[in-house]
Amino acid sequence: MIKLKTKLSDIKNSNLVFLIEKKSDLKLLDWLKLNAKILDKIESVIKAEKNEKLDFFLWNKDFENLYVFYFNKNKEKTLIEFLWEYLPKLSNNLTLLSNNDNNLEDLISTTLLSRYKFNKYKSEIKEDNVNIVINKDIEKLVKNRLETIENIILARDLWETPASDLYPEEFAKIIKKTKFKNIKVKILDSKQIEKKGLRLIHNVWKGSSKKPYMVILEKITNKKLPTIWLVWKGITFDTGWIQVKPWDHMYEMKWDMCGAAWVFATMKELDKKDLNVNIVACLVLAENHISWDSYKPSDIIKSYSWKTVDIIHTDAEWRLVLADWISYISKNYKLDKIISMATLTWAVMMALWYRYAWIMWNDKWLIKDFINYSKKNFEKYVELPFDNYFIEKTRASEVADLENLNRWVYAWSSMWAAFLSNFVLNDEKYTHLDIAWPAINSFEPYGLMNKWMTWFWVDSLSKILIDLK
């Protein structure tokens, strides 16, 4: 439970988290009437100019403990990195007090996102109670940030939900029930998908008893404005089909719908925002199982664009799903930009570990926006060089126009983007993001990122689109 407070005197039975940067900040604690030993200890840390957390037990009827975080912005660590080392370990009743409004957003974000836990299936739930002390004049800004965090947590919760409860139809129902203010929702069922000639998508799901759904979210504020399209798959469980995934990866395959969760959360984030562009987002919701109807290596499938695809590997399915949908949207909407996303390649992890995402292709101005965002914010992107060599290598099949995996070119991230570029029909500006491991963090929590499904991309993309001219 989160509550906004303007007076500390209104708060009972809590623990006070206080962020300071200089000695004069201590005036905010005058009302506590701290004893000289506590004040001397805090002042000694400030004098040493070393980032440190101090714990004090208070003989106070309203606040049991005082946690003082001294932050020196001249040190190598950012405020988020410093706070993250300690905040997840604190008790579940906290009151947040910042020395200034500029630091308050990082304090709120780190507290709420680093302490995230998925408790839906626990028989006993210990909920966090967080009070946030604010000045009345920044209440709107804080509420906006809390709405963003709420959307991020929605995406995390969807990802953590098992495929037995979150299958394509159920996911589509959740979106349909959402009360959007400015977004129009269109849903296509399996019969419509097949009737429209989306044959790549049809082949991906046909081994499962769970029917697929296509969800289109449109925020068209002014038809004269540029239109940007966002696309990601939502495979609610990914077995790998005939080329089945190894047992040690199979448990994690409920996360293959995480991209759809992010797109949904991002559109919720953008719903009430004033934009200088139109946004069309697509969630491709499907499930795959091994069955007599599963598509097979060596199958040749005709796409929506009429280009044929030689199936080299059945677990390279996401690019089939996105390929058909890119062509469909490119043909049926007047678009200026296409942004596709993938949580795919081990290549990203080997090069950048869990800290950075790759961004590539030909929309240089948009890529520049992502890179500039990275310099000042927690989410980080690195541009990957890209040229037509990779596109040519996707056309190496001897029996079809394209192949869904080139077995000899190991530039995986580049090759996946190159494959999708074949389905852009009207030369729209195209940006591809490979955000696999910052988004699906199976290594360790850090900063705002919890372990497993993080939320990477929701914050950065929504802010970039809000500022786009």
Side-chain angles (χ1 to χ4, degrees):
M1 184 179 297
I2 302 167
K3 295 181 179 179
L4 299 183
K5 300 286 186 179
T6 56
K7 295 180 181 179
L8 281 162
S9 58
D10 293 337
I11 301 169
K12 308 294 181 185
N13 302 318
S14 187
N15 299 283
L16 184 60
V17 176
F18 179 50
L19 175 63
I20 63 171
E21 293 177 298
K22 54 189 183 299
K23 185 177 177 180
S24 59
D25 293 337
L26 287 172
K27 291 181 180 179
L28 293 171
L29 295 183
D30 284 349
W31 60 278
L32 272 177
K33 298 180 181 180
L34 300 174
N35 66 48
K37 288 184 178 181
I38 292 177
L39 290 172
D40 287 345
K41 179 64 176 176
I42 297 172
E43 289 176 12
S44 68
V45 169
I46 296 172
K47 188 175 181 180
E49 297 185 341
K50 180 183 177 182
N51 291 345
E52 192 166 338
K53 167 185 168 278
L54 299 172
D55 297 3
F56 302 104
F57 177 76
L58 301 178
W59 296 96
N60 185 294
K61 62 181 180 180
D62 299 323
F63 295 98
E64 184 176 0
N65 294 287
L66 169 65
Y67 304 114
V68 176
F69 288 81
Y70 169 71
F71 176 66
N72 187 329
K73 60 186 175 184
N74 296 319
K75 299 299 180 182
E76 291 182 359
K77 286 186 177 179
T78 65
L79 177 57
I80 288 173
E81 290 169 332
F82 167 55
L83 292 171
W84 162 74
E85 292 183 26
Y86 306 99
L87 282 173
K89 303 170 187 175
L90 299 184
S91 64
N92 66 321
N93 289 311
L94 300 174
T95 295
L96 308 183
L97 177 63
S98 176
N99 64 320
N100 63 58
D101 296 340
N102 292 331
N103 290 329
L104 184 59
E105 181 174 319
D106 282 347
L107 179 59
I108 293 171
S109 297
T110 311
T111 301
L112 300 180
L113 293 175
S114 72
R115 294 168 59 84
Y116 168 82
K117 290 181 177 62
F118 183 69
N119 294 321
K120 181 179 178 181
Y121 292 84
K122 293 275 191 179
S123 55
E124 295 183 10
I125 299 175
K126 199 172 185 180
E127 186 180 19
D128 265 4
N129 294 305
V130 179
N131 300 302
I132 303 171
V133 182
I134 61 170
N135 296 317
K136 196 69 177 175
D137 56 346
I138 65 162
E139 184 175 5
K140 184 177 180 181
L141 292 174
V142 172
K143 285 184 175 180
N144 283 339
R145 186 56 190 165
L146 290 175
E147 283 184 7
T148 301
I149 291 171
E150 182 181 336
N151 289 327
I152 289 167
I153 290 174
L154 167 66
R156 289 182 178 182
D157 286 347
L158 288 170
W159 182 85
E160 290 283 5
T161 303
S164 56
D165 289 343
L166 189 68
Y167 44 90
E169 183 179 8
E170 187 61 29
F171 201 158
K173 284 180 180 178
I174 291 171
I175 298 169
K176 188 175 182 179
K177 290 177 182 177
T178 300
K179 295 180 179 179
F180 290 110
K181 183 179 179 181
N182 299 301
I183 288 175
K184 184 177 180 180
V185 180
K186 297 180 179 178
I187 299 178
L188 307 181
D189 61 22
S190 60
K191 291 181 179 179
Q192 291 170 301
I193 290 169
E194 190 172 1
K195 185 178 180 180
K196 289 181 181 295
L198 297 161
R199 288 170 287 270
L200 293 178
I201 297 172
H202 176 75
N203 273 271
V204 164
W205 76 266
K206 69 179 183 178
S208 173
S209 62
K210 302 292 187 184
K211 303 296 185 183
Y213 286 82
M214 312 291 293
V215 180
I216 304 172
L217 303 172
E218 296 179 345
K219 183 173 182 179
I220 309 294
T221 55
N222 186 337
K223 291 184 178 180
K224 294 181 180 180
L225 292 174
T227 299
I228 299 174
W229 181 56
L230 314 177
V231 62
W232 209 327
K233 68 166 181 173
I235 305 297
T236 55
F237 199 86
D238 178 14
T239 64
W241 286 268
I242 299 296
Q243 286 151 303
V244 67
K245 291 181 181 291
W247 68 270
D248 54 337
H249 290 294
M250 189 69 78
Y251 179 85
E252 302 169 2
M253 286 305 103
K254 67 178 182 179
W255 60 245
D256 224 36
M257 46 61 65
C258 63
W262 286 317
V263 170
F264 176 37
T266 300
M267 292 303 287
K268 280 189 88 265
E269 177 67 12
L270 296 174
D271 181 34
K272 299 176 184 177
K273 301 293 191 296
D274 293 328
L275 302 177
N276 296 307
V277 294
N278 300 312
I279 306 291
V280 179
C282 173
L283 289 69
V284 187
L285 307 176
E287 182 181 74
N288 76 74
H289 280 281
I290 304 164
S291 78
W292 296 112
D293 290 325
S294 298
Y295 74 117
K296 304 169 290 299
S298 78
D299 281 356
I300 298 174
I301 305 171
K302 185 180 291 184
S303 68
Y304 177 83
S305 70
W306 288 78
K307 293 176 182 176
T308 54
V309 180
D310 185 6
I311 303 300
I312 305 298
H313 203 296
T314 59
D315 196 28
E317 92 293 336
W318 73 268
R319 70 210 67 168
L320 301 179
V321 167
L322 297 192
D324 253 2
W325 208 233
I326 285 174
S327 294
Y328 180 86
I329 295 293
S330 185
K331 180 180 178 180
N332 293 283
Y333 287 80
K334 188 179 183 301
L335 304 174
D336 296 88
K337 299 176 186 290
I338 294 174
I339 304 174
S340 64
M341 291 71 66
T343 52
L344 178 68
T345 64
W346 289 92
V348 174
M349 185 175 72
M350 295 303 179
L352 304 173
W353 199 227
Y354 291 89
R355 295 301 199 254
Y356 294 81
W358 265 334
I359 185 169
M360 68 197 87
W361 196 227
N362 66 358
D363 196 341
K364 295 304 179 183
W365 285 107
L366 185 59
I367 290 173
K368 185 178 178 181
D369 287 340
F370 276 94
I371 302 303
N372 288 338
Y373 178 92
S374 299
K375 294 175 182 177
K376 300 178 182 179
N377 294 280
F378 186 76
E379 295 184 21
K380 306 295 183 185
Y381 296 87
V382 175
E383 184 177 4
L384 190 67
F386 190 88
D387 58 45
N388 286 330
Y389 169 86
F390 301 109
I391 298 175
E392 289 300 319
K393 292 302 179 183
T394 66
R395 301 166 181 168
S397 173
E398 296 179 359
V399 294
D401 298 324
L402 303 163
E403 54 187 16
N404 77 328
L405 185 147
N406 186 298
R407 287 164 285 186
W408 318 115
V409 180
Y410 298 130
W412 291 347
S413 292
S414 300
M415 288 300 292
W416 308 158
F419 177 81
L420 293 178
S421 71
N422 288 286
F423 299 90
V424 177
L425 302 183
N426 294 305
D427 295 323
E428 295 93 343
K429 289 291 184 182
Y430 177 38
T431 304
H432 181 70
L433 291 83
D434 192 337
I435 67 171
W437 303 109
I440 304 167
N441 173 21
S442 61
F443 180 60
E444 64 181 2
Y446 71 97
L448 304 179
M449 305 300 189
N450 56 304
K451 190 175 180 182
W452 300 112
M453 159 63 160
T454 59
W455 62 281
F456 188 94
W457 182 75
V458 173
D459 223 1
S460 54
L461 182 64
S462 59
K463 287 180 179 177
I464 288 167
L465 291 178
I466 288 169
D467 292 336
L468 207 59
K469 304 281 186 200

